[in-house]
């Protein structure tokens, strides 16, 4: 039998159902790998070994019956941004380093109902602000392909854990690229769904009009399986959209002949690493061989997406993070002299430098004197970017380009230079500003480092994106490669 951790989630699911192995065996196998390898990676903030084994025992009993839910017995890891009832939920921050969530996020609840066994909570950039996982209070996460490199961020712990096969899949969130960019840098399949497709209830808010939960998996088929459980309307999230959830699995094998692919002209201009460009172009040729048509598309306002995002996201973050005041939950300073001192010191001690920078920027752009010049203006540009995408989708089915300008970079290389760090998201942010679903899939290696191909679709086209990604993965083996030290 193939090693358990070499299998995809769908293969493990089939194995569990055929009773080739039990959920307890599978869960213990992954827990042992976490125990053995995580000291090299720092991908986990919390490992819930005991409750995982108990859940696996229950899953095995359930698997004896004929109506076990779709994901019964499958181990999974949650990004530590999702509230988990009775379990430490830190959001990668000292501010929440003592916070035991009193309820489950909808994503956690739905996946639990579908039968998953939670192995633990993954490290992440503090409050999901970052592109390298270096802003975490719990220390940086290492990239399993090269321990000197970053795994991307902010869902870097989720990505490193899946890439090193310490879990078959993980949840993530994507506000400006935090699922797709780490997926690209660690050789995974990352899906950021349409804004509103997956509930944000119980997901600690960063920038509410951009945040969206999604998946980090080995394959598009695995993402389809998870999405079938996660997606759908939730009355507890006022921005959740009441659109029926299609059958993501049955759409996977549709032929790609006649598919119209728009090549994002702006994504292939200056700034893109040469080897990455070459691999992305090879992936596009493969699509052509599968019968797709390539059409060059220009989105003239797209180059404005980074500055626009770095007004909108900090503005929303400054408002969302005002709830951490040392009074209701989270870190509280010792012996405050009065209320103001309590606020100042609790927030001053609880937040790291990147979060403070965002709060200050956000407060500034929302202040009475500057609101029109920055915030309002950014909202208008956001609309122009969304209109550019809408126009493009009147001609093509999906858009493609690179996910990230370079493969994984060295830990420490960009931490002192926020603007260079922000520019890492240049290809991913547009989809968030427009609320569009987007994926990254592995399309080759620059030396030892994985490179990602990005696929963006119109609103609620997740089934199409998964189909397009699956078509590529049937023809290639990049998604099967395992980092050397973790085989
Ligand atoms: N890297 C971007 C930021 O720092 C995006 C983060 C995210 O998607 N959560 O804001």
């Amino acid at each position: 039998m193939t090693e358990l951790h070499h299998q995809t989630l769908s293969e493990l699911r089939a194995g569990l159902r055929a009773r080739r192995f039990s959920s307890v065996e599978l869960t213990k196998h992954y827990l042992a790998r976490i125990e053995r390898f995580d000291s090299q990676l720092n991908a986990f903030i919390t490992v819930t070994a005991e409750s995982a084994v108990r859940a696996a025992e229950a899953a095995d009993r359930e698997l004896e019956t004929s109506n076990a839910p779709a994901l019964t017995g499958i181990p999974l890891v949650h990004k530590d941004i999702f509230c988990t009832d009775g379990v430490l939920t830190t959001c990668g921050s000292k501010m929440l380093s003592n916070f035991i969530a009193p309820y489950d996020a909808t994503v956690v609840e739905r996946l639990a109902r579908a039968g998953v066994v939670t192995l633990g909570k993954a490290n992440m950039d503090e409050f999901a602000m970052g592109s390298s996982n270096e802003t975490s209070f719990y220390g940086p996460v290492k990239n399993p392909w090269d321990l000197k490199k970053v795994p991307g961020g902010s869902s870097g712990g989720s990505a490193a854990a899946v890439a090193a096969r310490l879990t078959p899949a993980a949840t993530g969130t994507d506000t400006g690229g935090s699922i797709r960019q780490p997926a690209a840098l660690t050789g995974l399949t990352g899906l950021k769904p349409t804004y509103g497709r997956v509930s944000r209830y119980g997901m600690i808010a960063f920038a509410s009009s951009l945040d969206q939960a999604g998946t980090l998996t080995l394959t598009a088929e695995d993402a389809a399986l998870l999405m079938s459980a996660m997606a759908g309307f939730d009355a507890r999230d006022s921005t959740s959209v009441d659109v029926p959830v299609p059958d993501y699995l049955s759409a996977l094998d549709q032929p790609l002949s006649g598919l119209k692919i728009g090549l994002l002209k702006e994504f292939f201009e200056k700034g893109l690493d040469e080897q990455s460009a070459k691999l992305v172009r090879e992936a596009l040729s493969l699509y052509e061989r599968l019968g797709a048509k390539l059409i060059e598309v220009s989105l003239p306002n797209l180059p404005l997406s980074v500055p626009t995002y770095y007004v909108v996201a900090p503005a929303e973050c400054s408002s969302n993070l005002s709830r951490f005041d040392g009074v209701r939950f989270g870190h509280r300073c010792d012996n405050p002299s009065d209320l103001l001192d309590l606020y100042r010191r609790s927030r001053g001690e609880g937040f790291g430098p990147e979060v403070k920078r965002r709060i200050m920027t956000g407060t500034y752009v929302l202040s009475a004197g500057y609101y029109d010049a920055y915030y309002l203006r950014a909202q208008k540009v956001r609309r122009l970017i969304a209109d550019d995408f809408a126009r493009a989708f009147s001609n093509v089915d999906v858009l493609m380009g690179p996910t990230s300008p370079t493969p994984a970079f060295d830990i420490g290389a960009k931490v002192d230079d926020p603007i260079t760090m922000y520019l890492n998201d240049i290809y991913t942010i547009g989809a968030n500003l427009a609320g569009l679903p987007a994926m990254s899939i592995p399309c080759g290696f620059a030396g030892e480092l994985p490179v990602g191909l990005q696929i963006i679709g119109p609103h609620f086209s997740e089934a199409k994106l998964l189909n397009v990604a699956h078509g590529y993965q049937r023809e290639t083996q990049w998604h099967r490669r395992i980092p050397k030290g973790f085989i």
Side-chain angles (χ1 to χ4, degrees):
M1 185 173 69
T2 330
E3 287 260 32
L4 290 174
H5 60 273
H6 289 188
Q7 300 181 38
T8 66
L9 191 152
S10 335
E11 288 160 357
L12 292 172
R13 178 177 182 272
L16 281 171
R17 285 183 185 245
R19 308 306 281 147
R20 284 198 286 277
F21 45 85
S22 69
S23 175
V24 169
E25 274 171 76
L26 186 62
T27 301
K28 288 189 170 163
H29 180 77
Y30 280 109
L31 288 171
R33 285 183 64 79
I34 295 170
E35 176 86 29
R36 174 162 164 221
F37 290 115
D38 195 46
S39 54
Q40 291 177 49
L41 297 172
N42 196 27
F44 285 81
I45 292 176
T46 304
V47 179
T48 49
E50 262 174 53
S51 59
V53 173
R54 258 183 282 124
E57 285 164 0
D60 281 327
R61 288 193 292 276
E62 185 107 51
L63 283 163
E64 296 294 334
T65 68
S66 57
N67 48 6
L71 300 172
T72 303
I74 294 287
L76 191 87
V77 168
H78 288 297
K79 183 176 183 179
D80 209 16
I81 197 169
F82 292 100
C83 285
T84 37
D85 193 1
V87 176
L88 186 67
T89 299
T90 70
C91 220
S93 182
K94 177 175 179 188
M95 182 57 91
L96 289 176
S97 56
N98 60 2
F99 178 61
I100 309 283
Y103 65 96
D104 277 336
T106 298
V107 162
V108 173
E109 185 186 285
R110 287 193 179 180
L111 285 165
R113 221 187 298 143
V116 306
V117 169
T118 305
L119 299 174
K121 309 285 297 285
N123 201 347
M124 56 180 283
D125 276 303
E126 185 176 9
F127 284 101
M129 298 172 198
S131 310
S132 65
N133 222 297
E134 291 168 288
T135 72
S136 170
F137 172 62
Y138 295 88
V141 176
K142 318 280 164 53
N143 190 324
W145 292 97
D146 179 344
L147 299 174
K148 289 192 300 302
K149 308 268 179 200
V150 303
S154 63
S155 310
S158 299
V162 180
R165 276 45 173 192
L166 308 189
T167 174
T171 54
T173 62
D174 192 314
T175 303
S178 280
I179 288 176
R180 288 161 286 158
Q181 186 255 15
L185 270 45
T186 59
L188 298 179
T189 300
L191 167 66
K192 174 206 114 58
T194 308
Y195 180 76
R197 174 78 290 182
V198 174
S199 170
R200 289 184 299 110
Y201 179 78
M203 193 176 111
I204 296 168
F206 160 16
S208 308
S209 77
L210 300 158
D211 297 342
Q212 185 59 202
T215 55
L216 286 140
T217 54
L218 299 179
T219 65
E221 185 182 12
D222 291 357
L225 265 166
L226 291 179
M227 275 296 285
S228 307
M230 287 163 68
F233 179 65
D234 178 10
R236 294 177 297 184
D237 169 4
S238 62
T239 56
S240 158
V241 184
D242 197 358
V243 172
V245 178
D247 183 344
Y248 295 120
L249 285 165
S250 70
L252 284 175
D253 283 313
Q254 273 162 25
L256 298 182
S257 54
L259 180 78
K260 285 196 271 176
I261 301 177
L263 302 193
L264 281 164
K265 180 169 163 288
E266 286 74 13
F267 282 19
F268 290 94
E269 288 167 356
K270 61 177 188 317
L272 176 60
D273 156 74
E274 232 169 80
Q275 258 186 304
S276 305
K278 180 172 158 280
L279 293 169
V280 169
R281 289 196 190 281
E282 280 170 16
L284 294 167
S285 316
L286 194 149
Y287 276 108
E288 257 184 320
R289 290 201 293 283
L290 295 175
K293 234 173 60 205
L294 305 184
I295 304 159
E296 185 164 292
V297 172
S298 170
L299 272 63
N301 294 295
L302 204 57
L304 299 173
S305 59
V306 172
T308 305
Y309 173 88
Y310 279 98
V311 172
V312 174
E316 294 184 17
C317 123
S318 72
S319 155
N320 273 325
L321 270 57
S322 64
R323 74 188 57 157
F324 303 106
D325 55 7
V327 176
R328 287 161 292 186
F329 46 80
H331 175 74
R332 174 180 296 178
C333 68
D334 288 333
N335 307 317
S337 57
D338 58 20
L339 186 62
L340 211 56
D341 184 46
L342 168 77
Y343 289 158
R344 278 203 185 122
R345 281 202 291 124
S346 300
R347 288 169 68 79
E349 292 164 9
F351 293 135
E354 183 59 29
V355 172
K356 286 179 185 160
R357 182 162 29 241
R358 307 272 179 122
I359 293 175
M360 284 189 284
T361 315
T363 313
Y364 181 80
V365 300
L366 287 175
S367 60
Y370 296 102
Y371 181 90
D372 288 0
Y374 293 108
Y375 187 69
L376 199 63
R377 202 173 173 120
Q379 292 292 24
K380 288 181 180 163
V381 180
R382 182 177 185 177
R383 160 59 60 182
L384 295 177
I385 293 169
D387 289 349
D388 274 3
F389 274 111
R391 219 169 303 119
F393 286 126
S394 63
N395 276 329
V396 299
D397 301 308
V398 294
L399 292 164
M400 286 191 192
T403 306
S404 162
T406 63
F409 45 92
D410 284 347
I411 293 176
K414 300 186 187 188
V415 263
D416 298 323
D417 184 357
I419 305 281
T420 311
M421 188 70 93
Y422 295 170
L423 284 171
N424 218 264
D425 302 321
I426 192 149
Y427 304 138
T428 48
I429 278 175
N432 299 81
L433 290 170
L436 300 167
M439 291 185 75
S440 180
I441 57 173
C443 68
F445 284 76
E448 285 294 302
L449 297 173
V451 169
L453 168 76
Q454 188 177 195
I455 314 168
I456 308 175
H459 293 119
F460 297 101
S461 65
E462 285 81 0
K464 184 81 206 167
L465 293 186
L466 290 163
N467 164 223
V468 170
H470 182 69
Y472 180 84
Q473 291 179 336
R474 288 205 327 191
E475 304 290 326
T476 56
Q477 291 297 316
W478 307 120
H479 57 282
R480 287 276 177 190
R481 277 219 200 163
I482 304 178
K484 265 197 215 104
F486 302 89
I487 294 171

